[in-house]
Amino acid sequence: MTGGMAAVFVLLVTLFAGPAFALMFKTRMARTTFEKRRARFAEGRLKKDPQTDPIGPHRPFWQNWLLASLIFGTVTAAVLAGLARLGV
């Protein structure tokens, strides 16, 4: 894969995977699970406060989108750079 193709692939993954991952936090199941974790924290059965997580249903959509896109883009670029170094 050439450098230009790799860059386009990273861009496509960033543009599509980030919003899809952010939309996952808007589902009923994600919100219900978050509320259960918050209740367990309030009871003292969970050590980490779920409200402090950098990504999740308690954050605005744009913030989840931005962070997920950054994560997916970085991981994809690292994998492609590793493959390029191996000569694959």
Side-chain angles (χ1 to χ4, degrees):
M1 185 179 290
T2 64
M5 284 176 51
V8 169
F9 184 71
V10 169
L11 183 65
L12 287 174
V13 168
T14 303
L15 289 176
F16 290 112
F21 193 75
L23 280 174
M24 178 191 69
F25 288 118
K26 297 298 179 191
T27 63
R28 183 178 299 141
M29 187 172 76
R31 291 182 183 275
T32 304
T33 304
F34 177 76
E35 292 301 326
K36 288 178 186 175
R37 288 180 56 223
R38 200 161 74 178
R40 284 194 339 226
F41 176 74
E43 293 170 2
R45 296 189 301 153
L46 191 63
K47 292 182 181 180
K48 186 174 183 282
D49 184 7
Q51 292 279 46
T52 61
D53 289 342
I55 194 167
H58 61 293
R59 300 286 183 200
F61 177 77
W62 68 267
Q63 189 174 355
N64 288 333
W65 182 347
L66 184 66
L67 191 56
S69 293
L70 182 67
I71 291 168
F72 279 109
T74 303
V75 169
T76 305
V79 167
L80 289 178
L83 290 175
R85 187 172 181 166
L86 292 174
V88 176

